[in-house]
Amino acid sequence: MSIIKADGVDIGYGATPIVRNLSFTPPAGQVTALIGPNGCGKSTLLKALARIITPQCGTVSLDGQPYAQLSSRGLAQHVAFLPQVLPIPEGVSVAQLVAYGRSPHNSFWGRLSGTDRNAVEQALQRMGLESLADTALADLSGGQRQRAWLAMVLAQDTPVVLLDEPTTYLDISHQVELLDLMRQLAAEGKTVVTVLHDINQACRYADHLAVMHQGRLVADGPPGQVVDAQLMQQVFEVQVQIVREPVAGTPMCVVEKSTRAST
């Protein structure tokens, strides 16, 4: 299992950081959900963990080695990232997209070994895309494209998987399949960090919650120890009742009303 860690990081896109003095180590081999209101820095933190953006100060490391010391190829062999906004490459089929996930492991771009082809086939099967393997990505629905990109991440086969709002565009059935898949990946020893907006989904499917508010980490731990009415009021500005989810027994928030001051 690989350990990914942020230590005292400020992260932003200009002079003013969005994430401030944040230290965070998601538990290895578990599913961690980043939750918090819009604009609190969840996706910004995830991009720093993926080395899409570089912290203004502080360090991000993998197994104790700072990112600055890792090559792009070396990092891609250990960390896979699915961004929130996904492009639609022209003329690329589903199978070709999934095969791109094997590029960090190949000596020559586009040349797939037997191991590579097996990884691609397994990823397609796991996401239920075998019948669409030869279909152009541009011809798919939004949900199908999302699953194709997820298959590419699976084919990359890294010990750390970072997913930014992966349930976007997915219907409820495929959302549940994806959330179950995240738990399966963790059971296989992978460290999964995901941004989720549905608090009840996060509580049910994540082993660990990291709650962000105004660029800071305000709570961190198992759902049963983190989620309470006071936190929901402080972070999300809603009044809730916390009940036990009847199937999984995890915390479930029943919203009574918004407490945000009207303008």
Side-chain angles (χ1 to χ4, degrees), residues 195-223:
V195 173
L196 293 176
H197 275 295
D198 189 314
I199 307 302
N200 293 329
Q201 281 187 347
C203 287
R204 178 167 178 176
Y205 289 96
D207 305 292
H208 197 85
L209 298 183
V211 186
M212 295 186 64
H213 183 52
Q214 297 179 349
R216 300 186 184 276
L217 188 65
V218 297
D220 189 15

Side-chain angles (χ1 to χ4, degrees), residues 179-202:
L179 294 163
D180 283 336
L181 173 63
M182 291 193 304
R183 295 191 63 84
Q184 292 167 17
L185 294 176
E188 294 167 9
K190 298 182 185 294
T191 301
V192 181
V193 184
T194 182
V195 173
L196 293 176
H197 275 295
D198 189 314
I199 307 302
N200 293 329
Q201 281 187 347

Side-chain angles (χ1 to χ4, degrees), residues 76 96-106 120 151-153 155-157:
Q96 288 171 327
L97 176 73
V98 177
Y100 290 160
R102 298 304 301 167
S103 59
H105 307 281
N106 291 332
V120 170
M152 187 192 75
V153 168
Q156 195 172 338
D157 192 22

Side-chain angles (χ1 to χ4, degrees), residues 6 9 14-15 42 45 72 95 109 112 121 143 163 167 174 178 180 183 190 197 213 225 237 252-253 256:
V9 293
K42 304 182 300 295
L45 173 59
S72 296
W109 180 265
L112 300 182
E121 290 172 4
L163 306 171
T167 56
H174 285 114
L178 169 61
D180 283 336
R183 295 191 63 84
K190 298 182 185 294
H197 275 295
H213 183 52
Q225 297 178 17
E237 297 182 282
M252 184 171 73
C253 299
E256 295 180 346

Side-chain angles (χ1 to χ4, degrees), residues 3-4 92 222 238-239:
I3 303 294
I4 193 169
V92 174
V238 289
Q239 182 175 312

